[in-house]
Amino acid sequence: MSQYRTFTAADAVEYARQYGQLAEPQALVSADEIGDGNLNLVFKIRDGDGVSRVIVKQALPYVRCVGESWPLTLDRARIEAETLLIHGALCPRHTVKILHHDPELAVMVQEDLSDHHIWRSELVKGRYYPLAAGQLAEYLAQTLFHTSDFYQTAQLKKAEVSRFTNPELCQITEDLFFSDPYQDHERNHFDEALLPQVLELRNDAALKLAVAGLKHRFLSKAEALLHGDIHSGSIFVAEGKLKAIDAEFGFYGPIGFDIGTAIGNLLLNYCGLPGLFGPRDAAAGREQRLQDIRELWLIFADRFLALCHQHSRDATLALPGYAEQFLQQVWADAVGYCGTELIRRTIGLAHVADLDSITDAEMRVECQRSALNLGRVLIVNAPHIAHIDALLARIRQHG
Ligand code: SR1
Ligand code: MG
């Protein structure tokens, strides 16, 4: 029986030899720890020519970006592997392949994606992947429809909700998205110049009421097995290809949360582009982001509805018109959650390079202001932003 221990590079090589499903496992000779996320160890396992062949990922018993003072369940590694295995079965083209996992060691072996790049890093460099938004929409439609009540039987769905109950990781989201940014909290950090706007957010009663509703729906709407953290740093892209990774926040939650997180990260890039490239050179990229967002929603809605019409197994939910009505609620949730992502990534614990890597301090603050302003507008007005073109109009007006 395996017992948890934190892997060294040598342990990771040995593990990859055993479980990496390679024809010549002894060809694996070295490992680099390359984890730059907030939570885990990630080893690239290389052969004698230095070529990366497989990835070994291990959860640490604490939050890596904070340290041992913030302990965190190792069960997240099981949840991540099992979520990716399910998502991989439903949408193999756009989900990283899990070759092996061990819940006790909190470790998994994944396919190597060295020929891909993290989407956020590419967006920050101004590189455009025209198919990515549509591919992400396909991933979201397939995974969210097939794990929803439209498709799963009520009995199985309830068992799955229990298997994917993820209280500690959900609490991180509950705190970081819906609480910290709206109060004085030691986890928050932001430029002093933003303080007046931050204080306005904390005193905005209508905003806080809308955020309470979003938090309540996050806590209670078990609609589908979400990725739970589908930002542009959890997505690998290459020309014509896209793969989702990093699903440790997976749980049964509101479908609009995944959609809103995805759109929110494209919008963070939209807000940051003038600071990254200068206002004039940013115009084309900003237009691309708006088209990405339009495509993401329209393709998701089209695919999700087609799946409902063709494959719904619940006779009551298959009633003509019900899927359309349901999708309208998903849309309203998505707009609201998108707003919370904009705000928490600007003033909360976990920031993004789209804003924070802007070198000119004044421009950086200006871009952060626009992200905060847009986030507030979207949260407060979500119920009145009826469709994608109304959203794009609001973004053009406030972003
Ligand atoms: C303490 S974890 C901070 C953030 O990193 C993850 O990627 C999630 O987005 C989480 O909110
Ligand atoms: Mg992650």
Side-chain angles (χ1 to χ4, degrees):
M1 211 177 200
S2 41
Q3 257 192 333
Y4 185 81
R5 63 186 190 280
T6 302
F7 273 14
T8 61
D11 293 331
V13 172
E14 190 45 47
Y15 202 79
R17 283 180 179 167
Q18 251 185 297
Y19 297 111
Q21 297 181 14
L22 294 182
E24 291 173 38
Q26 297 309 318
L28 300 175
V29 294
S30 66
D32 297 327
E33 202 283 303
I34 52 142
D36 61 353
N38 294 322
L39 298 176
N40 306 301
L41 292 175
V42 181
F43 295 96
K44 253 180 194 249
I45 315 295
R46 299 183 190 277
D47 65 19
D49 298 324
V51 176
S52 175
R53 302 287 298 276
V54 82
I55 298 294
V56 172
K57 178 172 179 181
Q58 188 181 38
L60 291 165
Y62 52 86
V63 175
R64 181 176 185 167
C65 67
V66 174
E68 294 184 35
S69 61
W70 187 347
L72 192 59
T73 177
L74 293 174
D75 190 44
R76 68 185 193 269
R78 174 192 67 81
I79 299 246
E80 171 169 12
E82 293 183 1
T83 300
L84 289 170
L85 285 167
I86 290 180
H87 285 190
L90 298 172
C91 191
R93 243 186 106 193
H94 300 309
T95 311
V96 65
K97 193 167 177 192
I98 303 302
L99 304 169
H100 170 82
H101 78 107
D102 180 331
E104 280 190 41
L105 285 171
V107 76
M108 73 197 80
V109 185
Q110 305 180 354
E111 69 174 313
D112 179 80
L113 291 170
S114 295
D115 55 338
H116 290 59
H117 304 279
I118 290 290
W119 196 10
R120 188 186 307 288
S121 315
E122 296 296 274
L123 288 168
V124 166
K125 288 178 191 147
R127 295 190 185 143
Y128 183 38
Y129 290 80
L131 302 185
Q135 292 174 331
L136 178 55
E138 176 71 16
Y139 164 79
L140 291 168
Q142 293 294 344
T143 57
L144 297 172
F145 168 78
H146 285 103
T147 57
S148 76
D149 290 294
F150 287 95
Y151 188 75
Q152 291 201 100
T153 65
Q155 293 298 314
L156 180 60
K157 159 99 181 318
K158 285 177 178 68
E160 291 294 88
V161 169
S162 162
R163 175 157 74 115
F164 288 99
T165 296
N166 195 357
E168 286 192 36
L169 280 282
C170 282
Q171 172 146 18
I172 292 180
T173 301
E174 289 147 22
D175 291 342
L176 299 193
F177 274 72
F178 309 117
S179 302
D180 292 3
Y182 309 98
Q183 61 181 332
D184 184 11
H185 198 286
E186 62 188 9
R187 282 188 295 245
N188 292 331
H189 64 104
F190 49 83
D191 194 295
E192 226 181 275
L194 292 175
L195 188 60
Q197 212 178 337
V198 169
L199 292 177
E200 272 179 36
L201 296 181
R202 288 186 200 158
N203 291 315
D204 187 329
L207 174 69
K208 289 169 79 167
L209 206 56
V211 171
L214 289 162
K215 179 174 184 182
H216 197 181
R217 296 199 286 285
F218 182 85
L219 288 164
S220 55
K221 257 191 180 184
E223 290 178 341
L225 178 57
L226 309 188
H227 177 285
D229 194 26
I230 191 74
H231 57 83
S232 52
S234 296
I235 296 169
F236 269 114
V237 288
E239 217 181 295
K241 298 191 217 166
L242 175 141
K243 296 251 184 188
I245 59 166
D246 271 10
E248 65 254 72
F249 286 80
F251 82 114
Y252 272 78
I255 289 176
F257 183 78
D258 266 5
I259 312 292
T261 302
I263 294 178
N265 279 273
L266 294 172
L267 271 184
L268 285 160
N269 184 258
Y270 174 90
C271 292
L273 282 175
L276 293 167
F277 296 104
R280 194 163 348 131
D281 291 341
R286 271 159 73 89
E287 206 45 50
Q288 283 167 356
R289 272 325 67 70
L290 294 185
Q291 291 321 310
D292 283 343
I293 291 168
R294 191 164 194 278
E295 213 161 289
L296 173 49
W297 173 254
L298 290 178
I299 294 178
F300 169 78
D302 185 65
R303 296 294 294 138
F304 191 88
L305 281 182
L307 289 164
C308 288
H309 294 152
Q310 289 159 25
H311 299 291
S312 282
R313 287 172 168 174
D314 185 288
T316 311
L317 303 193
L319 195 72
Y322 180 69
E324 287 75 4
Q325 189 181 307
F326 173 76
L327 204 62
Q328 199 54 43
Q329 288 169 25
V330 169
W331 168 251
D333 282 352
V335 174
Y337 289 123
C338 168
T340 60
E341 178 72 340
L342 284 169
I343 291 179
R344 74 107 179 188
R345 291 292 192 184
T346 307
I347 60 173
L349 171 74
H351 288 207
V352 290
D354 311 66
L355 294 173
D356 280 26
S357 69
I358 298 169
T359 47
D360 181 285
E362 260 181 51
M363 272 307 282
R364 186 170 60 247
V365 166
E366 205 176 302
C367 294
Q368 288 169 334
R369 279 205 184 101
S370 83
L372 289 180
N373 185 36
L374 187 55
R376 194 196 68 81
V377 166
L378 298 188
I379 294 169
V380 172
N381 296 293
H384 313 295
I385 300 176
H387 49 79
I388 183 69
D389 289 318
L391 174 67
L392 297 189
R394 292 273 182 166
I395 298 168
R396 287 185 199 282
Q397 195 184 346
H398 297 279

